[in-house]
Amino acid sequence: MNAFGDDEPDWATEDPFGGDPSEDDDEPNASEGTHFGAEHLLLLFDCDDSMFEQYVPCLSEDSDDGEHNFVSPMQVAATAARQFLRTKIRNIAETKSGKRDGVGVLLYGCDPNRAMRATSLRSDSSGDDSDDSEEREELPSTHELIQLAPPGIEQVLSLQECLPPDNPNQTQRNLRKEFSSGKIEGESVEEEDGAVCSLLQGLTAAMKVFANAKCVKNPTPASKQLPDSKAIWIFTNQDDPCHGDEAQKSRINMVRKDCREAEIAIHILPLPKKSSEEDEKSGFDQSIFYNDLTDHYKRVEDVEYSATEAVDIDAFVEKFEMGTKKRRRYATVPLLLPGWKERKDNPGIMLDLYGVVQVRNKPQKVSVHQENNTMTNRKTKRLNKETAEEVSPEDIHHFVELCGNLVSVQPANLATMKRASNSIQDGAGLLIHGFRPMKLLPTTKLLSRNVLALANDSRVQGSGKALYNLKQSMKKKGVFAVGELLVRATATSQMVALVPKNDEFGEFFITQLPYKEDTRAVLQNDIGFADPNSVDAAKGLISKSTLHFEDFVSCLPENPWLKHFFGYLESVSLGKPLGEVEDDAKMDIDRMMETASEEIESFSLSLPEDELPVKMERKRKAASSTSKQEFVKDSISGEWIDMYKNDEVADQKNDVLKAFLKSQGERLAGKKTDLVDRVHRCIQKELFKE
């Protein structure tokens, strides 16, 4: 559990304290082992015939009270996958990270004789009685519905074809008819003895998909690239795929060991199970089989459905998205206490740092080639101005401007200055300088976002217990720690505050503290005593206007600008009409007036009236007789006319030109060419008069 009491927040690729962002997931982090590279998810859909039966009551806004639309578990799975792909595409565009993350959909439990079934259906419909006694080759019991690749619009459209269309003119792809091994009218299906479990075949095929996918990279130990994360998510309504066969369970356990050796995690997202006649409220029981198969640290909890309960697909999709969120650390650093130099090899407490806030922005514009309609890449070269030859980075000198002077600053000088300003010289770490009372924490002068610090017992055993004891001691004393944080050996350290979180877990918030020159004074004006009537009216307004949520994140609205922007992009890409966007950030005036109209009126009446400034009448001065006199131009001498005819006006100095223009009542501003033009126009007017 983390600070939010739920899954850990999305790992932000940028430095929460304003460092340089990482442009690609492939870039190695200076803190070894802090996170992984790309994240690949392969969704396994069970094609058992019961997955296509429409027995799941689904909540719908259009349905009346007590009535529900019935959908199939396969439709629930496809809807969740489609929504996850849309969210994944949006996250990649907004955060500029995860561009190499792969998503795929694999169907397992497919009918190996589906080709012969399709041929039989075609021959029956055409009336062809030709001999089909020839043996046909069986197809695999798995089918890759969507190849494992970075998510795109094509994948969303492929899943959209498998769902009921919004437009009645469109047709839906019938996955049951294509892949299910269910019984067709007039055909008898017999169970084969010793048949291989469909889940076993699905897991085996999933391992091959990861091994052959182009987006999955398996770096060698000698390389600096980070390993990719691989996970399998199983969507099924069968809580016992082996039907009690212990031999099949043993074979699946062997495949599970192979997956773990290949660093492939296995997870289950149970779908509503069809209730039996004996037990109408029977639900999906993970303890029968899947608790031993899946990874416990990332199991989707509290998902229990039955055919008698209505399913909220949006809540189901949200559960799936929460289970697939990245759990990436921003950095891993040791907590250095007094005397740390004498025990460098045994830091005592190891911390994992997580960015709590990740700012999202709309995707940037890209340049597209006019002929082949492909994106272009910008490449910058530094050329010598005189020879037009490319300059190598070694020959480039860096300067800093200081009061008009250029001071040479080379990368080696910068590295030396950084090391001199850092107390930690041998790598990343969080060095504690001392403790201060909580009342001295400058909440009004904090400059940056928070970072969540958790103990890492896997790197240093006992870190969790030691950090918990430190937190409880700081809470009893009512203090926070002041320290120096260095996340990379080549970076600059930052002054931070280590604040104990107000809960029973061993968690801290790390907040950047400003330096003395970064702060500014805040004016404090004494406005006297508060009016009791105004205070009581404000208390009543606050009591009626307070929003009650379980946590802070739940009360935050979604970014309305991004919702409108991506709504437009999806309408163009998916060919859907542009729908209305719910803007939770807008003020609901009608609801506020309905809830607290009396309190608002009372508070408004309790406010003091503003003193209107007294406007003084301004006495206008009587216009003087001299102001009404018109400007009288001087006559143009013959000397200026001769200069105009001989084209010598431009040879005169600016002062001479301005003196002439002033005598003619013309403007004096502008460059010399402007002054010469005005002189020419004045002389031309005089000549035309003559």
Side-chain angles (χ1 to χ4, degrees):
M1 303 293 286
N2 61 6
F4 298 107
D6 206 331
D7 289 324
E8 295 166 359
D10 286 343
W11 176 77
T13 56
E14 72 271 8
D15 186 343
F17 292 149
D20 296 332
S22 175
E23 297 180 356
D24 196 348
D25 288 339
D26 298 337
E27 290 293 331
N29 191 291
S31 300
E32 182 181 358
T34 56
H35 62 277
F36 46 81
E39 183 183 53
H40 307 292
L41 301 178
L42 186 60
L43 314 182
L44 267 62
F45 290 177
D46 189 359
C47 281
D48 185 84
D49 192 60
S50 61
M51 286 282 292
F52 299 94
E53 296 182 16
Q54 296 183 350
Y55 62 84
V56 181
C58 176
L59 292 177
S60 176
E61 298 179 357
D62 301 332
S63 60
D64 299 331
D65 295 339
E67 296 183 3
H68 304 292
N69 297 327
F70 288 89
V71 298
S72 65
M74 181 62 73
Q75 183 174 340
V76 177
T79 303
R82 181 191 60 175
Q83 184 61 31
F84 172 73
L85 280 173
R86 294 172 61 183
T87 304
K88 190 74 174 177
I89 293 172
R90 178 171 176 174
N91 291 341
I92 293 174
E94 291 177 350
T95 62
K96 311 297 186 298
S97 64
K99 295 181 180 179
R100 201 166 54 80
D101 292 354
V103 179
V105 177
L106 180 69
L107 306 180
Y108 73 94
C110 303
D111 182 15
N113 301 318
R114 55 185 179 273
M116 291 185 290
R117 289 159 59 91
T119 304
S120 176
L121 289 174
R122 287 196 300 268
S123 61
D124 292 343
S125 61
S126 61
D128 187 5
D129 297 332
S130 58
D131 186 11
D132 293 333
S133 58
E134 282 187 20
E135 294 186 1
R136 293 183 176 87
E137 183 179 357
E138 293 185 351
L139 296 176
S141 61
T142 59
H143 176 76
E144 198 168 1
L145 184 66
I146 295 178
Q147 291 186 353
L148 183 63
I153 298 300
E154 295 79 6
Q155 295 168 308
V156 178
L157 293 175
S158 298
L159 283 174
Q160 182 63 44
E161 295 177 354
C162 305
L163 295 171
D166 299 330
N167 189 349
N169 296 327
Q170 297 177 348
T171 58
Q172 178 183 356
R173 183 177 180 182
N174 194 337
L175 296 180
R176 183 177 192 176
K177 188 175 181 179
E178 290 186 46
F179 302 104
S180 174
S181 58
K183 180 179 178 181
I184 300 178
E185 292 186 27
E187 179 185 4
S188 60
V189 179
E190 298 180 357
E191 295 289 340
E192 298 182 5
D193 296 334
V196 181
C197 176
S198 61
L199 179 60
L200 175 63
Q201 296 175 334
L203 294 176
T204 305
M207 294 183 63
K208 295 180 181 179
V209 170
F210 281 119
N212 300 328
K214 295 181 179 180
C215 61
V216 180
K217 294 184 179 180
N218 297 310
T220 60
S223 66
K224 296 182 179 181
Q225 290 185 349
L226 299 170
D228 289 353
S229 168
K230 295 166 285 188
I232 296 173
W233 282 83
I234 303 172
F235 290 74
T236 181
N237 63 347
Q238 303 293 315
D239 52 10
D240 186 11
C242 298
H243 304 289
D245 190 341
E246 295 297 331
Q248 297 285 5
K249 288 184 179 180
S250 177
R251 297 178 65 181
I252 291 181
N253 287 331
M254 294 178 61
V255 176
R256 182 195 62 177
K257 293 180 181 179
D258 294 339
C259 289
R260 291 187 176 179
E261 291 179 0
E263 297 182 349
I264 301 175
I266 302 176
H267 314 292
I268 175 68
L269 207 153
L271 295 168
K273 182 182 177 182
K274 188 175 182 179
S275 61
S276 59
E277 296 180 358
E278 294 80 8
D279 186 5
E280 295 183 356
K281 295 185 179 181
S282 62
F284 195 103
D285 188 0
Q286 298 188 46
S287 62
I288 296 178
F289 174 78
Y290 283 101
N291 281 354
D292 297 332
L293 177 68
T294 57
D295 295 298
H296 296 269
Y297 78 95
K298 205 173 183 183
R299 184 178 300 154
V300 180
E301 303 288 352
D302 301 328
V303 181
E304 296 182 358
Y305 297 116
S306 68
T308 60
E309 299 177 355
V311 176
D312 187 353
I313 292 186
D314 293 336
F316 182 87
V317 172
E318 184 178 356
K319 279 286 184 183
F320 172 57
E321 291 179 352
M322 290 297 296
T324 56
K325 278 191 174 181
K326 293 183 178 181
R327 304 182 174 206
R328 294 184 173 182
R329 295 180 288 271
Y330 157 64
T332 297
V333 297
L335 181 64
L336 305 177
L337 301 174
W340 63 277
K341 291 185 178 180
E342 286 74 19
R343 52 176 187 275
K344 292 182 179 179
D345 298 334
N346 185 18
I349 300 177
M350 188 66 69
L351 299 179
D352 288 340
L353 307 184
Y354 296 86
V356 177
V357 177
Q358 184 178 21
V359 178
R360 298 170 178 266
N361 298 302
K362 72 177 183 66
Q364 300 297 324
K365 298 179 181 178
V366 296
S367 301
V368 179
H369 196 276
Q370 186 175 4
E371 296 180 359
N372 52 24
N373 198 29
T374 57
M375 288 191 300
T376 59
N377 295 326
R378 178 178 297 179
K379 187 176 181 180
T380 304
K381 291 184 178 181
R382 292 181 173 90
L383 303 178
N384 190 315
K385 188 175 181 180
E386 297 179 355
T387 62
E389 296 179 354
E390 185 175 358
V391 181
S392 61
E394 295 79 11
D395 297 334
I396 297 176
H397 296 273
H398 301 272
F399 294 86
V400 175
E401 184 179 358
L402 181 64
C403 297
N405 298 325
L406 296 179
V407 181
S408 176
V409 179
Q410 298 303 318
N413 305 129
L414 293 176
T416 303
M417 288 185 283
K418 285 182 178 180
R419 289 182 60 85
S421 63
N422 297 336
S423 300
I424 307 172
Q425 301 290 334
D426 300 328
L430 175 57
L431 176 61
I432 300 298
H433 291 307
F435 301 90
R436 293 181 182 178
M438 286 295 297
K439 62 181 181 180
L440 298 181
L441 185 64
T443 55
T444 59
K445 296 181 180 180
L446 300 181
L447 300 180
S448 184
R449 302 186 291 269
N450 292 336
V451 171
L452 184 67
L454 306 177
N456 187 334
D457 277 331
S458 61
R459 294 284 293 272
V460 177
Q461 293 184 358
S463 295
K465 186 65 175 179
L467 188 65
Y468 179 79
N469 294 336
L470 176 63
K471 175 182 177 179
Q472 296 302 322
S473 301
M474 293 173 60
K475 290 178 65 176
K476 290 182 179 180
K477 293 291 185 179
V479 297
F480 69 94
V482 178
E484 185 177 346
L485 177 62
L486 183 66
V487 295
R488 292 187 302 273
T490 58
T492 305
S493 62
Q494 297 160 330
M495 192 68 64
V496 296
L498 190 65
V499 184
K501 193 173 179 294
N502 189 22
D503 57 17
E504 297 302 322
F505 304 99
E507 300 176 352
F508 285 84
F509 278 132
I510 298 179
T511 303
Q512 183 180 8
L513 293 177
Y515 290 101
K516 185 176 181 179
E517 58 269 21
D518 298 329
T519 61
R520 62 180 181 180
V522 179
L523 298 178
Q524 297 180 355
N525 298 326
D526 186 6
I527 60 174
F529 296 97
D531 183 10
N533 295 330
S534 298
V535 173
D536 293 339
K539 290 170 61 178
L541 177 60
I542 293 173
S543 63
K544 285 294 187 70
S545 304
T546 302
L547 303 177
H548 300 281
F549 293 91
E550 296 181 358
D551 55 14
F552 176 72
V553 179
S554 301
C555 68
L556 297 177
E558 295 185 32
N559 190 327
W561 158 236
L562 291 181
K563 291 180 70 175
H564 283 278
F565 187 81
F566 276 93
Y568 169 76
L569 293 184
E570 286 192 343
S571 66
V572 176
S573 303
L574 302 178
K576 290 186 175 182
L578 183 61
E580 296 183 1
V581 177
E582 296 182 2
D583 190 353
D584 299 331
K586 285 186 178 181
M587 182 185 298
D588 191 349
I589 299 177
D590 296 336
R591 183 179 179 184
M592 291 181 63
M593 295 302 297
E594 181 182 355
T595 305
S597 58
E598 297 181 0
E599 287 74 12
I600 294 174
E601 182 68 20
S602 300
F603 181 71
S604 301
L605 295 176
S606 67
L607 296 176
E609 296 183 0
D610 295 334
E611 296 182 0
L612 298 177
V614 180
K615 294 184 178 180
M616 302 296 293
E617 294 184 1
R618 297 179 59 185
K619 295 182 179 180
R620 297 184 178 181
K621 296 182 179 180
S624 60
S625 59
T626 57
S627 61
K628 296 182 180 179
Q629 294 179 356
E630 295 183 359
F631 178 80
V632 179
K633 298 181 180 180
D634 294 342
S635 60
I636 300 177
S637 63
E639 183 180 359
W640 279 100
I641 296 176
D642 292 339
M643 285 190 294
Y644 171 75
K645 293 180 179 179
N646 298 327
D647 199 12
E648 297 176 354
V649 176
D651 298 337
Q652 305 301 315
K653 295 183 179 180
N654 287 357
D655 295 339
V656 177
L657 297 174
K658 289 182 179 181
F660 173 82
L661 293 174
K662 186 177 182 181
S663 65
Q664 301 299 315
E666 298 289 340
R667 291 192 308 112
L668 308 181
K671 299 180 180 179
K672 185 174 182 178
T673 55
D674 300 331
L675 302 178
V676 172
D677 291 340
R678 294 189 196 121
V679 172
H680 283 170
R681 287 197 297 270
C682 292
I683 298 176
Q684 289 173 359
K685 291 180 181 179
E686 185 68 20
L687 293 178
F688 289 148
K689 288 182 181 179
E690 297 178 357

